[in-house]
Amino acid sequence: YYGKGASYGVFVAQDATRAFVSGEFEEDDATADISDFDGSKCLGVKHWLDFYRFHDTYRFQGLLVGRYYDAQGKPTQAWHDFADCCEAGFELREADKRMDQERPRCSSKWTAAAGGRVWCEPPRVPRKVTSAEGGKQICRCFMPETSEEPSLRTDVTAYRDCDPRAHECQTTPPKKKNQPPQPPQQPQQEGEEGKAEASYKKVSPEQDL
């Protein structure tokens, strides 16, 4: 798996931290830079860090001098930035747990004819919330009076083109039915068809040859 050109060859003899989360295993994508990662993605990196740290087969060999450790084996500023990013991810995860108790998930349904929709039992209203688990947006039901609180997390947003006080929101439009293509029609002037037929009759077999 770790030979040159193999599936995980990109991880050999270099720091390709980003690939653990991005899934891009090409040599050109191998980089240790995750400075643009949010808390959820940093937790994804930490998952793999702990996986190898406590694995029965993989053994610790040492620290790689570079972005995260200096020549004396001390953590760099990039390592501390990563640790802070993970802390933000843990806080977001805890907020998700509180959300589960205080703001239940929306009901949802999708059909080709009606499209996608989400809804809450009145008086609650649907809102999009970014989850710490993978950074995906999920729908949760808020009470109207708390859905616009200034202290609310900044990743809580209303659905686009939906009344903020509505209990149901359209998320995707209905799927359009495929119409069979119609052959193009050439407009004909009055008498054109008769002229074409007369012209054809004037052509003899000898002329065709």
Side-chain angles (χ1 to χ4, degrees), residues 28 36 71:
D28 294 340
D36 60 330

Side-chain angles (χ1 to χ4, degrees), residues 108-160:
S108 63
K109 186 177 182 179
W110 181 91
T111 63
R117 63 187 182 96
V118 293
W119 70 93
C120 300
E121 291 295 328
R124 293 182 181 270
V125 293
R127 291 290 185 269
K128 289 186 292 185
V129 183
T130 302
S131 170
E133 303 300 328
K136 295 181 179 180
Q137 285 193 323
I138 59 177
C139 180
R140 293 187 180 277
C141 297
F142 286 72
M143 294 298 291
E145 61 270 17
T146 62
S147 63
E148 306 296 336
E149 289 180 357
S151 61
L152 205 60
R153 283 164 44 181
T154 57
D155 59 351
V156 176
T157 56
Y159 279 88
R160 184 179 178 182

Side-chain angles (χ1 to χ4, degrees), residues 3 6 65 83 87 90 93 140 148 162 185-186 188 199 205 207:
V65 176
E87 187 63 30
F90 282 125
R93 181 177 289 178
R140 293 187 180 277
E148 306 296 336
C162 184
Q185 295 182 354
Q186 298 294 336
Q188 287 188 337
S199 176
Q207 289 172 320

Side-chain angles (χ1 to χ4, degrees), residues 162-193:
C162 184
D163 186 341
R165 296 281 172 170
H167 308 302
E168 180 177 327
C169 293
Q170 189 86 22
T171 56
T172 56
K175 189 175 181 180
K176 294 181 179 180
K177 295 182 179 179
N178 293 327
Q179 298 291 338
Q182 299 294 327
Q185 295 182 354
Q186 298 294 336
Q188 287 188 337
Q189 297 180 357
E190 186 176 355
E192 284 285 333
E193 186 175 351

